[in-house]
Amino acid sequence: MTEVLVLVGIALAAASGFFGLLFRRDSSAGQTLCTSIAVAGALSGLAGVAWFFATGTSRPINVPWSLVEGAAFHVGLDGLSAFFLVPIFLISLLGNVYGLGYWKQSEHPTTGRKLRLFYGLLTAGMALLVVARNSILFLFGWEIMALAAYFLVVTEEEKPAVREAGWIYLVATHAATLCLLGVFGLLRGASGSFTLVALSSGSVSPGVATAIFVLALVGFGLKAGIMPLHVWLPGAHAMAPSHVSAMMSGVLIKMGIYGLVRVTSLLPDPPVAWGGTVLALGVISGVLGVAFAVGQHDLKRLLAYHSIENIGIIVMGLGLALLGRSLGRVDWVVLGLAGSLLHIWNHALFKALLFLSAGSVIHAAGTREIDHLGGLARKMPWTALAFLAGAVAICGLPPLNGFVSELLIYLGLFRTLGFGKEPSLAGAAFAVPALALIGALAVACFVKVFGAVFLGTARSQHADHAHESPRSMLVPMAVLAGCCLAIGLAPQIAAPVLAKGISAWAPNVPSVAQQLSSLAPLNWISIMGVLLIAGLAAGGALLSMRLRRSVVEKGPTWGCGYVAPTPRMQYTSSSFAQMLVLLFGWALRPRTHRPKNLPLFPRQGDFHSEVPDPALDEGLLPAFRFSARLLSWFRVFQQGNLQAYLLYIFIALVALLLWR
Amino acid sequence: MILTILHTALHVVVALALPPLLLGVIAKTKALFAGRVGPPVLQPYYDLWKLAQKGSVFSTTTTWVFCAGPVVGLVTAVLAVLLIPLAGSDAPLSFPGDVILLAYLLGLSRFFTAASALDTGSSFEGMGAAREVTFACLAEPAIFLGLLVLAKLSGSLQLEKMLGGSLAAQWSAAGAPLVLVILSWFVVLLAENSRIPFDDPGTHLELTMVHEVMVLDHSGPAFGMVLYGASLKLFLFAALVVRLALPQSAGFAWLDWPVFIAGMLGVAVAVGVVESTMARLRLTQVPVLLVAACLLSAFGVVLLLR
């Protein structure tokens, strides 16, 4: 039943966009039909997952498939698959509804149908790879996902910047696939089949296991956007339409994490170095991700860097769990993996919320430049509230969901100190202040964005003429904000699901659910959350009561005596971030352009600053240019005519035949 | 049972009533150093009462976020002081992991205080908000490095145990790390509460200030909430330092509470002395001092884990 519902969901999602192709370009009937089918598919998928969580039963479907020797259409659900299916179907559902207002077929006649087609395929590809129990089928889903995402990124392909971002993404995703071919090839060598089963201890040599781990870390890390493998992520997220960004940032990059979680669950006896590496990478991604975010001027690029930060937090939890498995520490496994998994859900919820509300801003004001916006809270109060909820959640602040998962990871990391007589792993404990730094930087960054975009007064004509978005865009945001609040106030609802995920990852941990409830103060989180909200309501009531009883006047903002302020005099987001950008100047390498040799009374000048991505601009691109120069002799073979390539294939085949 | 209720009631009364007194003591200390009589010690209470009665002026650019700042600042501070043990070893609200909630409640307060400053659209308040969030980025790791020391010593993540009576026994075994943490947290106290050498709450030059400039446009009851919330935050950090330095519990409330309150007043006097004898740091030097605070705590951790 579970598998059937999920497969129906996958099939409907995959098919949804094709129906749109039957309609005329400017017809809105096609968009309604596509969205209805996609929503039905997502609901069917969610029903399947709910069935699995309720009954806990799964009957894998295994149909032989003569595509490649060893390939099979083998799908099944376990705690991990079901866990990752929830954000896939939920965000897809909400994104589809949001698209009705955001990317209307009547406003985008040339791209609307294409976008819906690949949106459905992206959902189907991700759901397929998560339920796949055969590595060929996994790669099949992986490539559908990767290619559909490429076509979604280049939706507005007429713009050069979009094409460039799409191209970098395409290169990165294929590099990832190359690594995965290595991973699954080596796994098949160790287990003897393409079926994804846990390897027994001793069935794989340490060298091969490490090779599998490293390839998986690079391949899946490229997709997840772990620093320094994140080069494709900021551009692709910024250039895609916002509900696509929500899907990519909320769900697609988590497929990299899924792969990493799945492969580490298959490998026996991880050495300490693995967990240590993963934890260190998490810290680097977290701190540098948020530091780069602080320096951005583009609203969606900024959110994209925050995805890297949150992937860092997720990876920190995973690293801790791996360390726990190496050293036999059940509490590290439970808290680390519970925090990591819950943060995956949470990040999907609040990052989708942030991208959707950013989309609402872009839809209304027509610009992504933070410093051209301002004062939108008056014109778009609901969007502002949604963005605020997302911002508070992503900073990990109570009473929303981000706090719960970060708390779990904190609790686990503190335990590496070794309480009482337990052995300690002192190095890991220094991830605690790093996580605190990440949290404080995130607060700085989101105060900056929220303040510059929604508060104060409009800095440009665009922002001045903004209007609230239609209901089809607001409702998905409201649902996401509601989910953030629900997990923040009642994390107990996620606990059994987390326990199932942990059991699937580390089957030898006994009674996970009890461990989790004894290690994590989930009930107290609810109590404190309710107290906080009640206190805020009481405080607000008190203040408004006092204000009603006293004289309240309106006046201009106090300008320290200056009486003719203009919106351009407001503190910009770049000035807000300047001190932090300078503090992290060693990593961010900010570039400023200012007029040189100013005369005594300067007339006109312009100044601008930017924080480019050094990993791409100074690392990868020069390396690629160098190798291109090095390998230029190879161009002799690139004739560009089909006959020559057919000849090469023929020669290669003959050579292989002779070699056999 | 009745004793517990009495203890909790006393905790709430002290935590809510004492904070403005600390501001009064600081002002009095500074006045004595300057050879003035100074305002009465109870002046902050009069100020709060006066502000509660006053009318307000709101800027036309502001939205509801402007009022949310003072409310969130006050409510989070009230919840936070209920989480820490004052005298004796009990806190009204206590659970394993409450220490992280404490830090994040302060983060929530910072988020909304800074957002409400940006809501006015004034560049002065923007500047103050930027400084506040920037300095917090460096203060936060210092707090958590100190927490690592306390967590290792107490084997717990519950403030009641981390700062409880058992800490007294640790002083002989781990005195050096504890002294380092006290020093580091005192620096954080000065930074987080915008005191000299980080900020000058007495000045009227907007450009030099951090916290005061953020609340430049607040007036009347809302400004009263800001002031009261700020004094609660000072009380909170002072209580952390006092519990670190004087964790001994005699077991009698009539002895523990006076010792604790004397300790709190002592911290207020110390802040006053620092303010009277030091000049405000140049803004570019502030991060250097905060990084030094982080390093002090980090050395504490290293000493403990070596």
Side-chain angles (χ1 to χ4, degrees):
Chain A
M1 188 67 189
T2 307
E3 277 76 12
V4 172
L5 279 172
V6 171
L7 285 180
V8 167
I10 294 174
L12 284 178
S16 64
F18 286 101
F19 293 98
L21 301 177
L22 306 174
F23 289 81
R24 281 163 42 125
R25 277 185 168 188
D26 49 1
S27 137
S28 62
Q31 116 174 340
T32 319
L33 181 66
C34 287
T35 308
S36 318
I37 296 173
V39 165
L43 288 174
S44 160
L46 285 174
V49 176
W51 186 282
F52 172 77
F53 284 134
T55 60
T57 55
S58 160
R59 280 208 207 98
I61 298 172
N62 193 350
V63 184
W65 191 24
S66 56
L67 180 71
V68 187
E69 194 188 329
F73 191 84
H74 185 183
V75 297
L77 261 79
D78 64 357
L80 285 174
S81 306
F83 192 89
F84 280 84
L85 279 178
V86 174
I88 294 175
F89 284 122
L90 181 68
I91 307 298
S92 165
L93 192 162
L94 297 173
N96 267 303
V97 175
Y98 182 90
L100 282 179
Y102 183 72
W103 210 266
K104 272 195 194 127
Q105 187 65 42
S106 52
E107 287 171 15
H108 301 272
T110 51
T111 54
R113 294 181 303 178
K114 183 178 93 176
L115 191 148
R116 264 174 266 281
L117 173 67
F118 289 113
Y119 208 81
L121 282 175
L122 176 66
T123 310
M126 291 194 291
L128 184 63
L129 84 87
V130 165
V131 295
R133 287 291 162 273
N134 179 289
S135 46
I136 304 284
L137 188 64
F138 179 101
L139 281 174
F140 206 71
W142 182 269
E143 279 300 286
I144 293 176
M145 164 188 86
L147 294 177
Y150 167 73
F151 287 109
L152 288 171
V153 169
V154 295
T155 300
E156 296 175 282
E157 61 197 350
E158 67 281 3
K159 298 179 185 162
V162 171
R163 289 201 299 271
E164 195 196 326
W167 176 242
I168 295 174
Y169 166 74
L170 202 59
V171 172
T173 191
H174 279 107
T177 310
L178 188 64
C179 294
L180 297 194
L181 288 175
V183 169
F184 292 124
L186 288 173
L187 272 176
R188 180 173 192 267
S191 73
S193 82
F194 280 118
T195 312
L196 294 169
V197 284
L199 298 175
S200 58
S201 187
S203 68
V204 55
S205 74
V208 173
T210 304
I212 295 175
F213 171 75
V214 170
L215 281 173
L217 194 59
V218 174
F220 291 122
L222 264 167
K223 184 58 74 180
I226 297 173
M227 265 213 191
L229 304 171
H230 66 281
V231 286
W232 64 272
L233 198 150
H237 282 44
M239 294 305 163
S242 293
H243 58 312
V244 175
S245 314
M247 195 71 169
M248 289 181 74
S249 180
V251 193
L252 179 122
I253 58 173
K254 308 296 168 23
M255 293 304 113
I257 300 291
Y258 169 75
L260 210 49
V261 169
R262 178 62 76 192
V263 168
T264 48
S265 81
L266 301 181
L267 295 173
D269 312 320
V272 178
W274 292 7
T277 311
V278 172
L279 184 62
L281 281 175
V283 168
I284 293 171
S285 298
V287 173
L288 289 185
V290 66
F292 273 101
V294 169
Q296 302 303 315
H297 304 308
D298 177 323
L299 183 53
K300 285 175 70 180
R301 245 185 122 74
L302 180 144
L303 292 178
Y305 274 107
H306 272 286
S307 300
I308 299 172
E309 170 225 327
N310 280 284
I311 284 292
I313 297 176
I314 292 166
V315 167
M316 278 164 86
L318 181 61
L320 179 65
L322 273 174
L323 285 175
R325 243 177 70 190
S326 311
L327 298 175
R329 291 293 301 270
V330 171
D331 51 343
W332 302 0
V333 173
V334 169
L335 285 172
L337 201 63
S340 182
L341 289 178
L342 187 57
H343 206 72
I344 288 166
W345 267 19
N346 288 345
H347 182 246
L349 293 172
F350 54 63
K351 189 48 73 68
L353 174 59
L354 285 167
F355 266 119
L356 294 189
S357 34
S360 174
V361 167
I362 295 162
H363 191 67
T367 177
R368 297 200 308 251
E369 276 296 311
I370 298 171
D371 283 338
H372 291 174
L373 298 164
L376 291 180
R378 296 172 158 275
K379 302 193 170 75
M380 322 173 67
W382 296 112
T383 301
L385 195 63
F387 193 91
L388 181 64
V392 170
I394 199 174
C395 293
L397 298 174
L400 298 185
N401 56 354
F403 175 69
V404 185
S405 41
E406 289 196 20
L407 177 76
L408 292 176
I409 295 177
Y410 267 122
L411 291 176
L413 286 176
F414 265 107
R415 282 179 170 269
T416 58
L417 280 171
F419 291 165
K421 300 234 177 332
E422 297 163 356
S424 67
L425 193 70
F430 281 97
V432 167
L435 192 50
L437 178 65
I438 293 170
L441 282 168
V443 169
C445 192
F446 274 95
V447 167
K448 161 189 130 161
V449 188
F450 183 67
V453 173
F454 291 100
L455 304 177
T457 47
R459 290 183 177 84
S460 68
Q461 292 286 322
H462 302 295
D464 209 21
H465 296 137
H467 52 86
E468 186 60 283
S469 297
R471 203 166 291 169
S472 61
M473 288 164 70
L474 292 177
V475 169
M477 295 197 257
V479 171
L480 287 169
C483 291
C484 287
L485 186 65
I487 294 186
L489 285 184
Q492 298 87 345
I493 48 176
V497 180
L498 288 173
K500 278 211 168 70
I502 297 167
S503 308
W505 190 72
N508 47 0
V509 174
S511 55
V512 176
Q514 282 93 323
Q515 294 253 19
L516 186 61
S517 60
S518 72
L519 286 169
L522 296 181
N523 291 330
W524 272 101
I525 293 174
S526 306
I527 295 173
M528 295 307 295
V530 171
L531 270 181
L532 179 61
I533 288 178
L536 291 177
L542 188 73
L543 182 62
S544 69
M545 207 169 68
R546 268 289 10 127
L547 289 180
R548 242 181 286 129
R549 292 217 187 128
S550 59
V551 191
V552 175
E553 291 170 49
K554 288 271 176 190
T557 298
W558 169 238
C560 301
Y562 189 71
V563 288
T566 70
R568 289 191 56 193
M569 289 181 191
Q570 293 176 92
Y571 221 48
T572 59
S573 73
S574 340
S575 355
F576 192 90
Q578 190 217 8
M579 285 179 80
L580 279 171
V581 170
L582 289 183
L583 271 179
F584 282 90
W586 51 272
L588 305 187
R589 319 261 212 100
R591 285 188 208 153
T592 52
H593 306 267
R594 62 183 89 214
K596 284 186 187 119
N597 305 329
L598 282 176
L600 203 52
F601 296 102
R603 284 284 167 88
Q604 213 176 13
D606 71 296
F607 169 89
H608 76 271
S609 63
E610 57 180 337
V611 176
D613 199 313
L616 184 65
D617 289 359
E618 290 166 35
L620 268 187
L621 291 181
F624 278 3
R625 272 195 293 273
F626 177 74
S627 46
R629 252 204 326 276
L630 206 66
L631 297 174
S632 54
W633 61 270
F634 204 70
R635 290 203 189 120
V636 184
F637 298 104
Q638 294 283 0
Q639 299 292 339
N641 63 24
L642 191 61
Q643 288 90 332
Y645 292 113
L646 286 174
L647 183 65
Y648 297 155
I649 294 172
F650 179 71
I651 292 172
L653 283 174
V654 169
L656 281 173
L657 279 174
L658 288 178
W659 184 54
R660 283 291 287 263
Chain B
M1 181 65 197
I2 294 173
L3 267 179
T4 318
I5 292 172
L6 274 179
H7 185 88
T8 306
L10 192 61
H11 183 112
V12 173
V13 169
V14 171
L16 295 186
L18 195 66
L21 184 68
L22 299 182
L23 294 179
V25 172
I26 295 177
K28 199 73 178 175
T29 315
K30 288 171 77 176
L32 288 179
F33 263 81
R36 293 182 280 114
V37 179
V41 184
L42 297 181
Q43 186 64 39
Y45 296 94
Y46 306 143
D47 288 348
L48 287 177
W49 178 251
K50 188 180 68 186
L51 283 170
Q53 309 303 318
K54 277 200 161 187
S56 334
V57 183
F58 284 100
S59 160
T60 42
T61 62
T62 57
T63 58
W64 63 271
V65 177
F66 185 67
C67 285
V71 172
V72 175
L74 179 60
V75 171
T76 52
V78 168
L79 264 186
V81 292
L82 295 181
L83 287 173
I84 46 170
L86 299 181
S89 61
D90 291 343
L93 299 169
S94 179
F95 58 94
D98 55 1
V99 56
I100 293 150
L101 178 67
L102 176 80
Y104 275 72
L105 279 176
L106 294 177
L108 185 66
S109 145
R110 186 174 349 115
F111 187 103
F112 276 91
T113 313
S116 90
L118 290 175
D119 201 13
T120 60
S122 146
S123 36
F124 296 113
E125 303 195 25
M127 224 175 272
R131 290 171 187 172
E132 168 100 354
V133 295
T134 304
F135 297 159
C137 289
L138 297 170
E140 204 95 318
I143 298 178
F144 274 83
L145 282 164
L147 290 180
L148 280 179
V149 171
L150 295 183
K152 176 71 184 168
L153 285 179
S154 65
S156 157
L157 279 174
Q158 194 162 4
L159 276 165
E160 213 170 75
K161 296 192 180 124
M162 295 168 87
L163 296 168
S166 63
L167 198 58
Q170 303 284 4
W171 261 99
S172 53
L178 283 174
V179 169
L180 288 173
V181 173
I182 290 181
L183 286 177
S184 158
W185 281 12
F186 187 70
V187 174
V188 171
L189 179 153
L190 295 174
E192 282 281 312
N193 292 289
S194 310
R195 317 298 311 188
I196 291 175
F198 295 96
D199 183 15
D200 190 351
T203 170
H204 279 279
L205 189 59
E206 291 83 352
L207 280 173
T208 62
M209 295 190 293
V210 182
H211 181 78
E212 297 295 308
V213 74
M214 273 206 296
V215 297
L216 207 57
D217 253 75
H218 285 288
S219 54
F223 186 55
M225 281 182 147
V226 169
L227 273 189
Y228 185 47
S231 72
L232 278 167
K233 197 171 157 196
L234 176 66
F235 177 89
L236 178 82
F237 278 94
L240 289 180
V241 173
V242 169
R243 291 295 308 177
L244 264 184
L246 302 169
Q248 290 84 359
S249 165
F252 316 111
W254 55 265
L255 191 59
D256 284 346
W257 281 100
V259 168
F260 172 75
I261 291 172
M264 294 297 281
L265 297 180
V267 171
V269 171
V271 172
V273 171
V274 169
E275 296 214 343
S276 309
T277 54
M278 279 187 82
R280 198 175 154 283
L281 281 177
R282 243 178 44 218
L283 204 64
T284 47
Q285 297 294 311
V286 168
V288 180
L289 184 54
L290 283 171
V291 169
C294 288
L295 289 179
L296 281 178
S297 285
F299 279 127
V301 179
V302 172
L303 275 180
L304 206 59
L305 291 176
R306 88 201 122 98

